[in-house]
Amino acid sequence: MKILLKHGRVIDPTNGTDTESDVLIVDGIIEKMKPNIAAGKDVQVHDLNGMIIAPGFIDMHVHLREPGFEHKETIETGTLSAAHGGFTAVCCMPNTNPAIDNASVVRDIRTKAKQVNSGLVDVFPIGAVTKAREGKELAPMLELAEAGAVAFSDDGAPVSDSENMRRALEYASMLDMCIIQHAEESSLTKGGVMNEGFISTSLGMAPIPSIAEDIMVARDITLVEYVQARYHVAHVSTAGAVELVRSAKAKGLPVTCEVTPHHFTLTDEAVRSFDTNTKMNPPLRTRDDVEAMKEGLRDGTIDVIATDHAPHSYDEKQVEFLYAPFGIVGLETAIGLAFTELVHTGILSVEQLIEKFSINPRKILRLPSIKIAEGEKTNITILNPNYEWTVKTANFKSKSKNSPFDGYKLKGKAWGVVNNGVIYISL
Amino acid sequence: MPLSSRHLLGLEDVPKEDINLLLDTTTNFREVLERPVKKVPTLQGQTIVNLFLEDSTRTRVSFELAERRLSADVVNFSASVSSLKKGETLKDTVRNLEAMKIDMVVIRHAAQGSPHFLTKIMDAHIINAGDGSHEHPTQALLDMYTIREKFGTLEGVHVCIVGDISHSRVALSNIFGLKTMGATVSVCGPKTLIPKEIEKLGVNVFYDINRAIREADVLNVLRIQLERQDRAYFPSLREYREYFAVTKERLKQAQKEITILHPGPINRDVELSADVADSDASLILHQVLNGVAVRMAVLYLLGTGK
């Protein structure tokens, strides 16, 4: 199949590229990249009118829910949602049933991912740190890595036990792989449903204090300094945690972190609606925390934007706030929110946005870097930064619609993606 | 002028005019309750469901009496006998009820915001009879009515709420309503039972019960839930009693008349000594009587749109 992308603006921050060009893709390989390529026979032509061609975006924090919770999402619907949102790859978290704590589950997910949606979206499983994510015995990390796991996490739950965390960090460091921590000191959060502060007090809701996150990040950084192993904080949400990561980086420690679009967009004020789509863990924090997320993104403390895409079925969220499960979907709003909240407000340049959605996560996961050049495999996300649109959750490709952003007006969207020889156009 | 909302979900953001209307209407129904025949035909033909998904005999009885005295048809629905036990969701439960043509729902539920949730999924008037540790507006209204009855006004009266503020369903509604009406509000209890940033609601915080007694005109003493000590909010009931109980000696030391309210049920000799509970300073039984009248006022104003 031949695809000709006319009038693109190729931006690749890894080598400082920012050029206007046509791109001719033949069977998934970039055959030619220069201005004014003539459309030959049997060529599918798309005029991009100056839209941005970027290295393919990856969301390193996604819950695909398969195996075990296929009523919420499947590998097929989750990866379609990813493609529609502008991602050519996702990492799927191991809180499945069974958990991704043995090689056969890793292999099953990878096999399935290649079969659905013509293999358009690469799926990189994240293995569990502990067996069944119970926080007790280490999962077989060497075996998981060999089968294709790209990092380890007990996400949804922290690795609470300090000894276990220390050993996990040491063990994973043999592979030069990251432990991704859901940073939460659970003894401080029991029963909590929202951020502790004025709003939780006004609503009489059981609180989750921000220090529960700070304390776990601080402990982990202490361990990291001691054992010199790579550590990544999942969905950072507090000003305190960002500051801890900042000072760890200043010391040269191998610490990285990610933030979700909802944590740089919304505050706990949103919970006043009692909308269960404002319930997630970590919870929405305060205005000061949101500002700290933006500052962390701006100064490079926060390396990655990841969604923590957490699908739950309609009925599961149509309950009392107290009983609703934590989590929201994020794949189809991430790029729009990032452009609207970060790029159009001058906090990030387009190049920095691309780093946080593509370059940095691939570095952290030790995935091969993407090159947009003749002779290379095509793995690109095409962005329309000025496209204005309104979020309609009913139109999501994800099986679940649990998003607090229904009706939001956003500026910026993925036009489409090309990967593994397949083009997907979402606009 | 009718109430500005067709539901009573809480007292946060309820305007002063509404609260005055509710309290003034309560006076009318207090008068009805003094009659030999304590019944009016106001809500004849209206059907009210008391949806009590958490046990609360006294609030349910108070609502039920209020409803019957307004001649409404009353259906009681409690968690222990309901389909919720069998795994039915609240949404399905209330949709089923609504299909049976219900005009009003009085809901008591452990989950904060559940009355607000009902307003999104059904058309009936919703009255919050306590949603977890969030609001319990009729309790606060009856407390305010009782204080107003005694002092003639709420303006400038200092009310101190004593005890487990964090887990109370009474404290927030009282704070919201009393602040709106111009009262001075403070809270007193162990720091572990006072939620963060409560000062931002415009209340003073005391950790010393003697100071609270010195400064307040009214103590609204909350029930200490005995299970709380399991989670280390305070070391023991003995210690709580020693340092936070409202006792005769403490009141005597302050040498002033003070009014005692308690939403009940009382743990005698834990948060409140028996001699105080049964003293003239205690308006606890007035509260209970006023509770029926307040609930009649709420039901009447919502049910008739007046």
Side-chain angles (χ1 to χ4, degrees):
Chain A
M1 190 178 62
K2 295 180 180 177
I3 302 163
L4 177 59
L5 303 173
K6 299 285 290 177
H7 308 114
R9 179 182 161 202
V10 178
I11 300 183
D12 185 356
T14 34
N15 51 23
T17 306
D18 184 351
T19 51
E20 284 176 24
S21 181
D22 294 355
V23 178
L24 179 65
I25 301 158
V26 178
D27 296 330
I29 306 295
I30 299 179
E31 187 164 286
K32 261 190 241 170
M33 205 174 98
K34 60 175 191 179
N36 301 317
I37 300 174
K41 265 205 313 191
D42 306 322
V43 178
Q44 189 188 127
V45 183
H46 299 283
D47 192 338
L48 298 182
N49 284 313
M51 282 192 276
I52 294 163
I53 299 174
F57 282 13
I58 178 169
D59 185 345
M60 68 179 283
H61 195 139
V62 169
H63 298 273
L64 288 179
R65 303 298 192 206
E66 188 178 346
F69 307 97
E70 290 84 353
H71 66 291
K72 299 171 193 267
E73 194 82 284
T74 62
I75 293 168
E76 183 169 8
T77 58
T79 53
L80 185 63
S81 177
H84 198 74
F87 295 94
T88 62
V90 297
C91 296
C92 58
M93 282 294 175
N95 57 340
T96 46
N97 186 17
I100 309 178
D101 66 355
N102 64 77
S104 65
V105 181
V106 176
R107 280 193 292 263
D108 280 355
I109 291 170
R110 282 165 50 92
T111 306
K112 184 85 183 278
K114 290 191 175 91
Q115 291 162 355
V116 298
N117 303 316
S118 313
L120 168 62
V121 174
D122 301 317
V123 174
F124 301 107
I126 291 173
V129 176
T130 62
K131 284 178 192 155
R133 298 173 47 257
E134 284 174 349
K136 292 174 190 152
E137 300 167 65
L138 291 186
M141 292 192 223
L142 295 175
E143 176 189 303
L144 288 165
E146 192 181 350
V150 295
F152 304 102
S153 181
D154 277 356
D155 184 62
V159 182
S160 291
D161 185 278
S162 301
E163 167 75 4
N164 276 345
M165 188 61 177
R166 174 206 168 148
R167 298 307 176 198
L169 284 162
E170 286 178 330
Y171 204 76
S173 72
M174 292 192 293
L175 297 155
D176 190 31
M177 284 167 72
C178 260
I179 301 291
I180 301 175
Q181 174 74 300
H182 169 117
E184 174 180 348
E185 171 47 54
S186 308
S187 65
L188 286 166
T189 60
K190 251 177 236 160
V193 294
M194 69 173 294
N195 182 55
E196 178 164 38
F198 177 64
I199 310 294
S200 67
T201 291
S202 307
L203 297 176
M205 294 244 218
I208 298 174
S210 59
I211 53 163
E213 181 167 324
D214 305 351
I215 287 171
M216 191 54 96
V217 172
R219 180 206 72 174
D220 287 346
I221 288 172
T222 307
L223 289 170
V224 165
E225 190 166 12
Y226 191 63
V227 303
Q228 292 294 323
R230 295 179 58 228
Y231 170 72
H232 178 83
V233 190
H235 43 53
V236 71
S237 72
T238 66
V242 172
E243 188 50 41
L244 287 160
V245 171
R246 183 177 288 125
S247 63
K249 284 186 166 185
K251 278 191 193 170
L253 298 177
V255 173
T256 53
C257 70
E258 71 195 25
V259 67
T260 70
H262 48 277
H263 286 116
F264 65 65
T265 305
L266 298 174
T267 69
D268 55 358
E269 275 284 345
V271 182
R272 281 193 179 278
S273 63
F274 294 107
D275 178 356
T276 55
N277 291 327
T278 63
K279 182 176 176 182
M280 65 285 284
N281 190 16
L284 297 174
R285 306 285 190 183
T286 66
R287 175 58 53 196
D288 286 349
D289 295 305
V290 168
E291 292 309 316
M293 297 307 124
K294 290 181 172 170
E295 180 53 28
L297 282 161
R298 201 193 57 73
D299 74 7
T301 302
I302 300 175
D303 306 86
V304 171
I305 299 170
T307 67
D308 193 8
H309 179 84
H312 293 293
S313 76
Y314 177 75
D315 288 325
E316 287 167 326
K317 281 286 197 178
Q318 279 286 304
V319 296
E320 301 88 320
F321 192 92
L322 188 63
Y323 306 146
F326 291 101
I328 60 168
V329 291
L331 285 165
E332 293 169 63
T333 46
I335 291 175
L337 288 165
F339 268 107
T340 306
E341 295 289 326
L342 306 174
V343 177
H344 294 308
T345 53
I347 291 162
L348 293 184
S349 66
V350 170
E351 287 76 9
Q352 287 170 314
L353 184 88
I354 294 168
E355 283 171 0
K356 296 190 197 288
F357 269 119
S358 178
I359 317 291
N360 295 347
R362 297 186 77 95
K363 273 187 195 158
I364 290 165
L365 300 165
R366 302 293 193 242
L367 295 171
S369 67
I370 295 166
K371 294 188 184 69
I372 306 178
E374 287 180 6
E376 295 289 335
K377 190 195 137 188
T378 318
N379 181 344
I380 55 173
T381 292
I382 298 158
L383 302 162
N384 185 343
N386 296 314
Y387 184 81
E388 295 184 31
W389 60 293
T390 302
V391 178
K392 290 199 177 70
T393 53
N395 296 340
F396 280 178
K397 302 295 176 192
S398 169
K399 204 171 208 176
S400 292
K401 321 293 177 192
N402 51 310
S403 166
F405 297 111
D406 193 35
Y408 262 59
K409 291 189 166 40
L410 300 178
K411 187 175 174 185
K413 199 175 187 305
W415 175 85
V417 292
V418 184
N419 187 34
N420 296 330
V422 187
I423 183 166
Y424 179 90
I425 299 166
S426 49
L427 267 187
Chain B
M1 267 241 305
L3 293 175
S4 52
S5 169
R6 57 186 300 271
H7 307 293
L8 182 65
L9 305 177
L11 293 187
E12 189 175 18
D13 302 325
V14 170
K16 195 169 183 173
E17 299 73 49
D18 282 14
I19 292 176
N20 271 324
L21 175 61
L22 283 158
L23 297 181
D24 294 345
T25 310
T26 300
T27 306
N28 301 338
F29 286 111
R30 264 300 300 274
E31 185 264 314
V32 171
L33 294 179
E34 303 298 335
R35 294 179 195 166
V37 179
K38 301 169 184 58
K39 193 157 179 156
V40 288
T42 320
L43 292 186
Q44 213 160 45
Q46 295 219 24
T47 308
I48 302 174
V49 174
N50 296 320
L51 186 59
F52 275 60
L53 304 177
E54 184 187 58
D55 286 340
S56 171
T57 310
R58 87 176 46 209
T59 302
R60 191 185 57 69
V61 168
S62 181
F63 265 107
E64 190 173 343
L65 273 176
E67 290 152 3
R68 292 191 189 284
R69 285 173 174 171
L70 293 168
S71 306
D73 294 320
V74 179
V75 182
N76 288 313
F77 190 101
S78 72
S80 48
V81 297
S82 76
S83 42
L84 284 127
K85 273 260 147 100
K86 300 172 193 157
E88 190 180 49
T89 63
L90 177 61
K91 183 174 175 177
D92 283 337
T93 301
V94 300
R95 286 246 165 120
N96 273 281
L97 289 172
E98 183 155 56
M100 299 180 215
K101 304 292 179 200
I102 297 302
D103 300 293
M104 280 195 256
V105 175
V106 176
I107 178 173
R108 167 72 157 235
H109 197 313
Q112 299 85 347
S114 42
H116 310 67
F117 176 57
L118 292 198
T119 64
K120 289 173 195 155
I121 55 176
M122 67 192 302
D123 290 327
H125 300 283
I126 309 296
I127 297 169
N128 182 0
D131 61 331
S133 43
H134 182 216
E135 289 225 43
H136 189 0
T138 56
Q139 176 70 42
L141 286 167
L142 75 88
D143 292 344
M144 289 157 71
Y145 184 84
T146 306
I147 297 166
R148 198 178 80 161
E149 207 175 29
K150 165 105 189 204
F151 290 84
T153 179
L154 290 166
E155 186 95 37
V157 178
H158 183 163
V159 181
C160 182
I161 307 165
V162 182
D164 181 355
I165 310 299
S166 289
H167 306 96
S168 167
R169 62 174 57 77
V170 180
L172 279 171
S173 291
N174 260 286
I175 292 168
F176 295 137
L178 285 165
K179 292 296 292 179
T180 300
M181 300 310 288
T184 302
V185 185
S186 56
V187 296
C188 177
K191 196 165 190 172
T192 45
L193 290 173
I194 295 185
K196 267 187 95 66
E197 301 187 39
I198 195 162
E199 312 80 24
K200 287 194 188 163
L201 291 174
V203 304
N204 286 319
V205 180
F206 303 130
Y207 304 118
D208 174 2
I209 185 67
N210 295 311
R211 174 143 183 235
I213 290 170
R214 275 199 307 278
E215 301 205 7
D217 304 306
V218 179
L219 295 182
N220 194 345
V221 186
L222 304 180
R223 175 184 168 78
I224 284 296
Q225 283 161 305
L226 306 179
E227 65 275 15
R228 294 290 173 213
Q229 57 180 336
D230 300 344
R231 287 240 4 227
Y233 290 105
F234 55 91
S236 68
L237 283 180
R238 177 173 177 272
E239 175 137 321
Y240 187 87
R241 188 189 300 122
E242 289 297 312
Y243 292 91
F244 291 96
V246 177
T247 62
K248 202 88 180 177
E249 297 85 71
R250 289 207 161 100
L251 297 181
K252 215 181 273 171
Q253 255 175 10
Q255 290 195 329
K256 73 185 256 201
E257 195 186 328
I258 198 155
T259 298
I260 304 291
L261 302 183
H262 191 300
I266 305 170
N267 291 309
R268 282 176 179 266
D269 295 319
V270 180
E271 68 268 4
L272 199 57
S273 69
D275 47 9
V276 176
D278 300 333
S279 72
D280 289 344
S282 159
L283 299 183
I284 295 171
L285 294 176
H286 286 74
Q287 286 175 277
V288 177
L289 171 65
N290 291 338
V292 178
V294 155
R295 288 170 180 127
M296 288 172 81
V298 170
L299 292 160
Y300 162 76
L301 290 168
L302 291 178
T304 61
K306 282 181 184 160

